[in-house]
Amino acid sequence: MDHFADRLRAAPQSRLQRGAAAEALAVARELSRRAQLLEEPGAPPREMPDAGMFAAADQILVAAHDLALVLRSDDEVAEAVRVVEEARQRAGV
């Protein structure tokens, strides 16, 4: 997670605009959704707001931290890492 966030922070604005920030927001929203479903089963998850392309790195870290606090198994951790790595590759950073 930290690597992806660091790469986003170092990315030029043009790369963020070409989709890296949107990909980062999408994965942050997915991590947030997963955390909420584990924390409050049965409650509809709330969508993480779009705070702008320059906040995408921080949103990933916040969502990943929240999810890490509620994961229950090594398999769940591995799945979260896989989701982030695939997003990083799609973002091209």
Side-chain angles (χ1 to χ4, degrees):
M1 310 320 163
D2 290 333
H3 179 69
F4 188 12
D6 289 343
R7 297 291 305 257
L8 284 168
R9 286 188 187 106
Q13 182 175 348
S14 61
R15 177 161 297 164
L16 295 174
Q17 289 172 323
R18 285 193 312 263
E23 188 62 46
L25 176 60
V27 77
R29 284 177 170 169
E30 175 60 19
L31 297 176
S32 175
R33 183 189 70 80
R34 289 176 186 222
Q36 290 176 63
L37 290 173
L38 289 170
E39 287 179 315
E40 301 173 3
R46 297 162 309 281
E47 183 174 77
M48 179 179 279
D50 183 346
M53 72 176 137
F54 298 113
D58 293 328
Q59 288 182 290
I60 287 174
L61 290 177
V62 168
H65 177 72
D66 289 350
L67 181 58
L69 291 173
V70 296
L71 291 177
R72 300 174 294 224
S73 71
D74 290 342
D75 289 340
E76 289 176 341
V77 172
E79 173 64 13
V81 170
R82 183 191 64 76
V83 167
V84 171
E85 179 57 24
E86 287 175 0
R88 187 196 62 76
Q89 290 174 1
R90 286 190 302 272
V93 294

